[in-house]
Amino acid sequence: MFPLLLTDQLDDERTWVFPIGISGSLSHDLGEIEAEIAALAEGLDKAGEIRLFPRPLRRPAKALLVGIGAGDESDWRAAGAAISRAVSDNEPLQIMLGEQVAMRALAEGLWLGGYRYRDAREEPRSAEIQLMTTTPQAYAESLARAHTTAVAAWFARDLANAPASLKNPDWLAEEIVGAAAKRTGVTVRIRTGAELERFGGLRAVGAASKFPPCLVEMSWHPAGATTHVALVGKGITFDSGGISIKTRPGMKNMKIDMSGAAAVAAATLGAADLNLPVRVTALLPLAENAVGAAAYRPGDVLTHYDGSTTETTNSDAEGRLVLADALGYAAAELSADVIVDVATLTGAAEIALGTRIAALFSHDDELAGALTEAGRSAGEAMWRLPLPDDYREYLRSEVADRHSSPTRGAGAVAAALYLSEFLGDQAANWAHIDMAGPSWAAETDLEITRGATGWGARTLLRYLEGLSA
Ligand code: BES
Ligand code: MN
Ligand code: ZN
């Protein structure tokens, strides 16, 4: 990631960037260009809108203006992303900040907007961006938090953007082991083969693939932690649909079906980077949902970690099967205070809420509120949907405790109800986030770069920060 530097030294060798909005003011002595900048700022009220100073300048070399709208967090994040995209990657910049700045959001926007998939042909930005303020020390902490957030989001995006020709369960597990090894205090345990005996859902979903499934358990357990959060992320490295095979357009982006796993891993690493006094256990059930002679079939009955059974009516409803085992394990073995799962679970969630809003489910109003607020602050929107008990009959099976793919509508709700069955008493302090919609962006938009969005890493990290605040 390119460096951002706080400074109180004006550098007129660099391109100057002026944020303009109701809370932004030109609080610097700009000499001869002051009046022209003020004229150019006229009517610039949209966050992220860029205007270029129209004539050649000697010092600075160049100037541009960026709208910051009303100056709230999302506006500053939009402005940061717009700045990153407006200039070439090697252009030295200095952003001139006045009295009021949402520094964390601005820095997050700069980094997120500057993201490129690390294996892409294009090099990412390398030139430092300077943040010019009269009180640099006051913003050091905000900048450090933004850095951790951006590292988490970039990590999640890199993992999800990786093609499935590279990304199988072993590869993904090794990437996570490698990232954990760069931190102190993060441990990883990987279960494979016979250790997965009780994980009947995970074994069934992974059965047809050349690459075996595994369960990654990652732990951040600082001394003195009072709260213990279990994070569970769906980790399907490619979802072909299995025997209930997907359509061509439906299958095309399915390398991102491990975005939930990427988000929980990234947030856990972020908790360690910030040394948060919160215990975090991340569970990543990893498998490829492939087609083959060993594939699990529609109508098969399998046994989950908690001993209950599922009739698998559609092999494309695979995410809930691997989550069922991981949630059952979390509920039975971890004694966590809170369990949150994140998954690209249903196309129905995308139909309901589109590509910028995830669906949130919880029986716990306080937990739902905290997650929604974390998402708002991080720039990732969620909308809560219900868990109606009377829809549970959608799940009824003749041959097992339940079946996996109800077809009576409310697909995202039915999937959430299915998951809730594996939590036992812990259903009361559990939340499920269906991020099928926002996990992929067809087009670049503000801080979202086209491709895998890394959705969830930022929200989960903010949530963990909130617990220790
Ligand atoms: N991975 C998909 C859901 C998905 C869809 C993620 C679009 C990202 C974008 C999931 O495994 C799936 O196939 N769900 C089925 C469930 C159905 C068979 C009950 C779906 O949504 O059609
Ligand atoms: Mn599927
Ligand atoms: Zn899937």
Side-chain angles (χ1 to χ4, degrees):
M1 247 160 48
F2 55 88
L4 293 184
L5 186 86
L6 287 160
T7 179
D8 56 5
Q9 302 297 308
L10 215 61
D11 180 351
D12 58 17
E13 304 283 325
R14 291 172 169 261
T15 297
W16 285 359
V17 181
F18 298 99
I20 305 294
I22 59 167
S23 67
S25 56
L26 300 174
S27 57
H28 303 278
D29 175 16
L30 307 173
E32 37 144 1
I33 63 168
E34 181 145 357
E36 278 175 275
I37 292 278
L40 189 60
E42 205 54 44
L44 180 57
D45 45 23
K46 191 168 166 286
E49 186 183 338
I50 299 273
R51 284 185 195 164
L52 210 62
F53 197 80
R55 68 173 173 88
L57 292 166
R58 218 154 46 83
R59 297 198 158 230
K62 192 173 140 193
L64 52 98
L65 276 54
V66 60
I68 53 161
D72 60 28
E73 282 174 303
S74 61
D75 292 329
W76 278 101
R77 203 177 288 110
I83 294 166
S84 267
R85 297 186 204 284
V87 296
S88 69
D89 287 334
N90 50 16
E91 186 161 340
L93 287 184
Q94 191 169 56
I95 305 174
M96 316 298 254
L97 299 168
E99 299 272 279
Q100 287 181 39
V101 50
M103 185 63 84
R104 179 170 181 174
L106 170 64
E108 286 179 2
L110 287 163
W111 274 316
L112 293 169
Y115 171 81
R116 285 191 201 118
Y117 174 46
R118 87 186 122 129
D119 282 357
R121 265 166 280 222
E122 233 179 328
E123 285 293 307
R125 160 176 275 274
S126 52
E128 167 191 281
I129 295 179
Q130 292 191 355
L131 303 158
M132 160 74 192
T133 159
T134 51
T135 54
Q137 333 70 265
Y139 295 113
E141 176 65 20
S142 301
L143 192 61
R145 297 230 165 198
H147 185 260
T148 301
T149 309
V151 166
W154 279 42
F155 182 65
R157 288 178 183 183
D158 277 344
L159 293 181
N161 275 322
S165 48
L166 183 67
K167 177 174 59 190
N168 53 58
D170 278 345
W171 180 89
L172 190 46
E174 282 315 314
E175 288 293 299
I176 286 159
V177 166
K182 295 195 190 108
R183 275 81 175 181
T184 24
V186 180
T187 58
V188 182
R189 172 172 176 191
I190 301 171
R191 289 178 177 81
T192 56
E195 294 166 299
L196 297 178
E197 203 198 324
R198 289 183 65 183
F199 296 79
L202 182 57
R203 282 192 291 105
V205 171
S209 175
K210 188 161 112 188
F211 308 103
C214 64
L215 178 75
V216 175
E217 178 169 348
M218 189 185 200
S219 165
W220 162 246
H221 191 172
T226 49
T227 310
H228 181 191
V229 178
L231 300 175
V232 179
K234 171 178 172 181
I236 302 301
T237 56
F238 186 76
D239 182 10
S240 70
I243 286 178
S244 317
I245 199 162
K246 284 187 180 294
T247 61
R248 277 177 226 180
M251 203 187 300
K252 149 168 87 82
N253 294 331
M254 279 305 127
K255 67 175 186 182
I256 58 90
D257 210 20
M258 37 51 72
S259 297
V264 305
T268 307
L269 295 167
D273 289 341
L274 293 177
N275 200 16
L276 297 182
V278 180
R279 180 176 172 193
V280 186
T281 305
L283 294 171
L284 291 66
L286 306 181
E288 178 186 4
N289 189 19
V291 191
Y296 79 118
R297 293 158 289 250
D300 281 2
V301 174
L302 51 87
T303 306
H304 292 290
Y305 190 87
D306 70 353
S308 73
T309 56
T310 294
E311 179 191 1
T312 61
T313 30
N314 180 332
S315 67
D316 199 9
E318 85 296 339
R320 65 197 73 186
L321 303 179
V322 307
L323 291 171
D325 289 333
L327 289 170
Y329 171 84
E333 318 293 349
L334 296 182
S335 314
D337 300 292
V338 174
I339 301 177
V340 181
D341 78 78
V342 200
T344 47
L345 201 60
T346 68
E350 177 171 349
I351 289 166
L353 296 170
T355 57
R356 288 306 290 263
I357 307 174
L360 168 66
F361 301 84
S362 184
H363 295 297
D364 181 341
D365 292 346
E366 201 184 315
L367 176 57
L371 287 166
T372 304
E373 175 51 27
R376 193 206 55 73
S377 170
E380 296 178 329
M382 276 175 276
W383 194 260
R384 194 171 171 193
L385 294 179
L387 288 163
D389 258 323
D390 48 348
Y391 284 13
R392 273 184 206 280
E393 62 171 275
Y394 289 18
L395 302 170
R396 205 164 44 221
S397 161
E398 301 292 321
V399 297
D401 292 322
R402 59 192 75 79
H403 81 101
S404 65
S405 47
T407 50
R408 290 201 254 167
V413 172
L417 284 170
Y418 176 91
L419 296 180
S420 73
E421 304 240 317
F422 298 91
L423 286 136
D425 295 346
Q426 300 241 39
N429 33 34
W430 155 78
H432 159 60
I433 300 174
D434 190 336
M435 51 176 281
S439 61
W440 176 267
E443 296 304 332
T444 291
D445 180 21
L446 302 175
E447 72 268 26
I448 299 298
T449 301
R450 138 198 180 82
T453 60
W455 199 97
R458 291 190 268 154
T459 295
L460 292 174
L461 182 59
R462 278 295 206 300
Y463 170 69
L464 296 172
E465 288 179 69
L467 290 176
S468 55

